[in-house]
């Protein structure tokens, strides 16, 4: 499925992204109604539910499941943030994050050649385990930047692209993306998907990624949880 076709079917896009994101993190997945869910076993130990523009009745059902435990999260892909923020308030949920975006790219436009580091004090280590490709840049024993990618069919889902503060503004975010692409992208991978923070959106836009829609995270808790880094 091409990037345009995937964007034209955001319900399918969401399913693919959840499968890839859960694959990156080793999460168990399930479904709630017609929507995917993942058990965040390494953090909250609770379920996170995902939906794209659910109906009012679907939202009410998902909100009820989310409210069963404070650590549960309901994540909505939408470009109507105001509507779902109002629905959240109606059902006793708080907006814990509204700054992220789902982004997509045609992998044919991306550099998939093995990158090289211009800084002699930095070293790239790549690995693969259980279908997850990892890339880590180190300075001696210190991790400077890291990321991972998991391929679902024709789509590569990138996750946890992190550059430590002391190593920012050295092009390491772009470098990690290229290193992951060089590892994981074969001739049948057409799309790249990821969830991006505000800072990440600037980087990925520069690399040719496009925004699909906004991401709204809801919970009974007042504490947020940023999927792009957490």
């Amino acid at each position: 499925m091409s990037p345009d076709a995937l964007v034209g079917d955001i319900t399918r896009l969401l399913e693919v992204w959840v499968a890839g994101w859960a694959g990156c993190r080793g999460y168990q997945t399930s479904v709630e109604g017609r929507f995917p869910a993942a058990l965040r076993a390494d953090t909250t130990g609770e379920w996170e539910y995902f939906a794209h523009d659910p109906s009012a009745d679907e939202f009410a059902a998902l909100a009820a499941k989310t409210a069963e435990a404070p650590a549960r999260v309901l994540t909505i892909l939408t470009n109507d943030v105001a509507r779902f923020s109002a629905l959240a308030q109606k059902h006793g949920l708080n907006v814990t994050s509204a700054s992220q975006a789902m982004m997509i790219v045609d992998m044919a436009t991306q550099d998939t050649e093995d990158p090289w580091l211009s800084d002699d004090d930095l070293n790239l280590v790549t690995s693969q385990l259980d279908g997850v490709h990892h890339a880590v840049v180190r300075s001696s024993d210190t991790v400077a930047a890291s990321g991972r990618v998991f391929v679902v069919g024709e789509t590569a889902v990138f996750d946890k692209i992190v550059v430590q503060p002391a190593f920012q503004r050295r092009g390491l975010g772009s470098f990690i993306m290229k290193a992951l692409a060089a590892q994981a992208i074969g001739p049948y991978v057409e799309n790249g998907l990821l969830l991006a923070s505000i800072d990440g959106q600037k980087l990925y836009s520069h690399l040719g990624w496009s925004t699909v829609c906004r991401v709204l995270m809801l919970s009974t808790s007042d504490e947020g949880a940023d999927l792009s880094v957490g």
Side-chain angles (χ1 to χ4, degrees):
M1 184 177 287
S2 69
D4 287 344
L6 200 56
V7 171
D9 184 3
I10 298 185
T11 297
R12 173 59 181 159
L13 179 151
L14 176 59
E15 293 172 351
V16 170
W17 179 81
V18 171
W21 175 74
C24 277
R25 302 185 180 209
Y27 290 164
Q28 173 188 345
T29 59
S30 184
V31 292
E32 186 64 35
R34 66 184 181 93
F35 299 113
L39 182 62
R40 300 193 68 161
D42 62 338
T43 54
T44 63
E46 272 294 349
W47 287 97
E48 181 156 1
Y49 306 103
F50 304 86
H52 169 250
D53 282 344
S55 67
D57 288 343
E58 289 173 329
F59 184 92
L62 290 168
K65 291 293 294 185
T66 304
E68 290 178 4
R72 290 187 179 180
V73 175
L74 173 56
T75 296
I76 303 292
L77 270 64
T78 185
N79 283 315
D80 193 349
V81 171
R83 174 179 179 241
F84 288 102
S85 296
L87 279 173
Q89 185 176 23
K90 177 182 177 181
H91 292 280
L93 298 181
N94 300 309
V95 175
T96 59
S97 174
S99 61
Q100 299 177 83
M102 183 69 71
M103 302 188 76
I104 193 169
V105 75
D106 182 343
M107 291 306 303
T109 68
Q110 299 297 287
D111 183 358
T112 58
E113 297 294 326
D114 286 317
W116 60 277
L117 285 163
S118 58
D119 293 342
D120 292 337
D121 63 322
L122 298 178
N123 180 49
L124 171 66
V125 177
T126 60
S127 61
Q128 188 268 345
L129 180 64
D130 296 331
V132 184
H133 296 268
H134 299 263
V136 179
V137 173
R138 295 181 179 273
S139 175
S140 298
D141 294 330
T142 302
V143 174
S146 60
R148 60 183 74 168
V149 63
F150 187 91
V151 177
V152 180
E154 300 168 344
T155 302
V157 178
F158 294 78
D159 182 45
K160 280 185 174 286
I161 311 301
V162 179
V163 179
Q164 299 303 322
F167 296 91
Q168 291 177 358
R169 301 187 182 281
R170 296 170 65 174
L172 290 182
S174 298
F175 179 87
I176 286 290
M177 293 295 290
K178 291 177 181 178
L180 291 170
Q183 272 192 277
I185 307 309
Y188 303 108
V189 175
E190 297 186 14
N191 318 297
L193 275 180
L194 53 73
L195 201 66
S197 64
I198 290 178
D199 288 340
Q201 290 165 42
K202 298 175 184 177
L203 166 65
Y204 305 127
S205 294
H206 179 71
L207 296 177
W209 292 65
S210 301
T211 297
V212 176
C213 59
R214 300 277 299 280
V215 177
L216 189 66
M217 298 181 68
L218 311 169
S219 173
T220 58
S221 171
D222 290 326
E223 298 180 5
D226 189 342
L227 280 180
S228 66
V229 297

